[in-house]
Amino acid sequence: MDSSAVMEVVRAPATPSPGVGKRRAGGSSRRASMLGPAFVAAIAYVDPGNVATNFAAGATSGYLLLWVVVAASLVAILVQFQAAKLGIATGKSLPALCRERFARRGNLLLWAQAEIVVLATDVAEFTGAAIGMRLLFGMPVALSAAVTAVVSLLLLELRRRGRTRPFELMSTAALILVGAGVGYDIVCVGHQSGSGFVSGLAPGFAGAHSLVLAMGIVGATVMPHAIYLHSGLVQGRGWTPDAARRSPSLVRRALRTDCLLGLGVATLVNTSMIAFGVGLAAATGGAWTGDIVGAHVELTGRIGGAAALAFAVALLSSGISSCGVGTLAGDIVMRGFLGRRLPLHLRRVVTMAPAVLFLMLGVPVTELLIFSQVILSLGVPVALFLLIGFCRDRSVMGPLVNAPVTTRLAGCSGAVVAVLGCCLPITLL
């Protein structure tokens, strides 16, 4: 071979192996197919219960409990990752696995407590949506309740008809809208402190009141119905359990990315709520102490109509989107634990009835939201330890089973959340 021929061989670009580009593109598209469920689950982390607890924490304790929001959100990311992994590895939701593995009596007890949790969740979410509707349009309670129910059902209809992506996109839009509304109000209200924000990331308490608020934040952040929901949302996305088990690394990366993105946005929104509470309390000279309706009044009188409008839109988006998510979680709970389901329209009517009744009776909003968090806190330990128990079982998870360090971390986090959850009702009641 002459020297020119040798040089041509050296300069010739390497020919890729057949199928390499396709495999890479296919891997990217398969990962992309898993993105979305965490953004739906993240709606549960910015619901009106979160609004109430974060506003109260910011208004009465400043940035002191910012670290609690961040720590609870990190636990939530780990928990939701576990829930998503369980659903994709088994092709079943957490309630459906319970039905398969537990005796009928125990399973009925688990279903009953899960339904109570979903009902309490819906009380908080429906209350927030109805208040937002009333603040925006001046509607009476009964009418705002009816409109809220109809709008949330329209959102659910997208998913029921197989329009999963539009449903996820609308949930993502609602999440961003809540964050944008709170962010705009932070800018309008002002009275922020960068050094105060940084100091709030250091763990600490200032008396019993801040401890109670911290427990409320944890109870409003790690949501049991979101665990049941996420384990069901990841199914039907072109991934069978066998396919997921053949590509455990790809599955873990995709689910981790989804959870970090979706719940990362929710974490930013929750920390923004704390900052808003700090700013509005300072703007009012401490007169405002975290009441949701009072926040709208103060914004209208002191800041301006645009800020008040942004607040009402954010609250309405939080309530309506979380109402739809709560009803969907209830459907997964009943279908999983009992193997039966109610039509979503009927479930919507059943779950909204207590909230409408409380609102029409004039029950104070803050007390109503706190009561819902008390009920929710009782369901946290059950969902967490069921989840951890399944995820550490290789016979259930296959190659997607938790590493021992993940199980220990999840178990310790779950134990702390469970203790705080059990202490919250005692402290408040």
Side-chain angles (χ1 to χ4, degrees):
M1 182 180 293
D2 60 24
S3 59
S4 61
V6 172
M7 293 303 296
E8 284 298 317
V9 171
V10 171
R11 288 195 297 264
T15 302
S17 301
V20 168
K22 291 181 179 179
R23 283 199 299 271
R24 289 176 180 170
S28 299
S29 63
R30 292 172 77 194
R31 285 195 297 272
S33 70
M34 291 193 203
L35 301 181
F39 285 85
V40 179
I43 291 294
Y45 292 88
V46 295
D47 72 358
N50 292 84
V51 175
T53 52
N54 290 329
F55 279 8
T60 60
S61 299
Y63 298 104
L64 177 67
L65 299 179
L66 193 62
W67 70 273
V68 179
V69 173
V70 175
S73 298
L74 291 175
V75 172
I77 291 172
L78 175 62
V79 167
Q80 296 302 142
F81 172 69
Q82 302 289 298
K85 194 171 63 165
L86 178 71
I88 203 77
T90 64
K92 300 179 179 69
S93 66
L94 177 57
L97 284 171
C98 291
R99 187 176 85 247
E100 285 185 358
R101 293 182 171 248
F102 300 143
R104 178 174 173 79
R105 182 173 297 179
N107 203 56
L108 286 174
L109 289 174
L110 288 174
W111 168 73
Q113 65 83 32
E115 285 287 3
I116 292 171
V117 161
V118 171
L119 189 62
T121 301
D122 218 48
V123 167
E125 294 164 348
F126 202 90
T127 299
I131 292 171
M133 197 78 69
R134 189 172 65 188
L135 293 178
L136 270 177
F137 307 111
M139 292 182 178
V141 171
L143 182 57
S144 64
V147 173
T148 300
V150 169
V151 174
S152 62
L153 276 174
L154 289 176
L155 287 174
L156 286 172
E157 193 69 14
L158 287 175
R159 195 170 193 279
R160 192 183 71 82
R161 292 177 177 273
R163 306 293 298 278
T164 301
R165 277 302 185 195
F167 176 76
E168 291 172 352
L169 290 173
M170 293 187 72
S171 298
T172 303
L175 182 64
I176 294 172
L177 190 58
V178 175
V182 175
Y184 177 78
D185 282 341
I186 289 175
V187 174
C188 292
V189 170
H191 293 84
Q192 298 297 317
S193 168
S195 59
F197 189 94
V198 172
S199 66
L201 297 175
F205 296 104
H209 178 68
S210 63
L211 181 59
V212 172
L213 283 173
M215 289 190 290
I217 290 171
V218 172
T221 303
V222 184
M223 308 287 280
H225 78 292
I227 298 173
Y228 300 125
L229 172 73
H230 205 164
S231 66
L233 286 177
V234 294
Q235 297 164 35
R237 311 181 69 84
W239 280 84
T240 64
D242 288 341
R245 294 180 185 212
R246 286 195 299 268
S247 306
S249 297
L250 185 148
V251 169
R252 285 191 177 94
R253 286 196 300 271
L255 297 180
R256 192 180 299 120
T257 299
D258 193 31
C259 290
L260 286 173
L261 289 175
L263 295 167
V265 173
T267 301
L268 290 175
V269 174
N270 280 315
T271 55
S272 298
M273 291 178 188
I274 293 276
F276 171 78
V278 173
L280 188 58
T284 61
W288 179 73
T289 57
D291 179 71
I292 290 180
V293 177
H296 186 265
V297 173
E298 295 291 349
L299 286 172
T300 302
R302 296 174 182 269
I303 310 300
L309 177 63
F311 175 82
V313 169
L315 182 60
L316 181 61
S317 300
S318 167
I320 286 182
S321 57
S322 56
C323 272
V325 167
T327 302
L328 185 57
D331 182 57
I332 290 172
V333 162
M334 175 173 279
R335 183 155 37 100
F337 282 119
L338 301 184
R340 302 174 183 176
R341 64 189 307 176
L342 289 175
L344 288 181
H345 298 77
L346 178 59
R347 175 169 279 279
R348 174 76 279 171
V349 171
V350 171
T351 55
M352 80 176 185
V356 174
L357 179 62
F358 290 143
L359 288 171
M360 295 187 72
L361 290 176
V363 176
V365 173
T366 302
E367 278 91 355
L368 191 56
L369 291 174
I370 290 175
F371 175 74
S372 71
Q373 300 310 304
V374 170
I375 300 300
L376 277 175
S377 65
L378 295 174
V380 170
V382 178
L384 280 179
F385 290 114
L386 285 173
L387 178 66
I388 294 169
F390 282 127
C391 285
R392 67 187 292 271
D393 188 342
R394 183 171 291 275
S395 67
V396 174
M397 300 294 292
L400 285 166
V401 67
N402 277 355
V405 65
T406 304
T407 297
R408 286 194 290 270
L409 180 59
C412 291
S413 301
V416 172
V417 171
V419 169
L420 291 175
C422 292
C423 289
L424 181 61
I426 298 171
T427 306
L428 292 178
L429 298 178

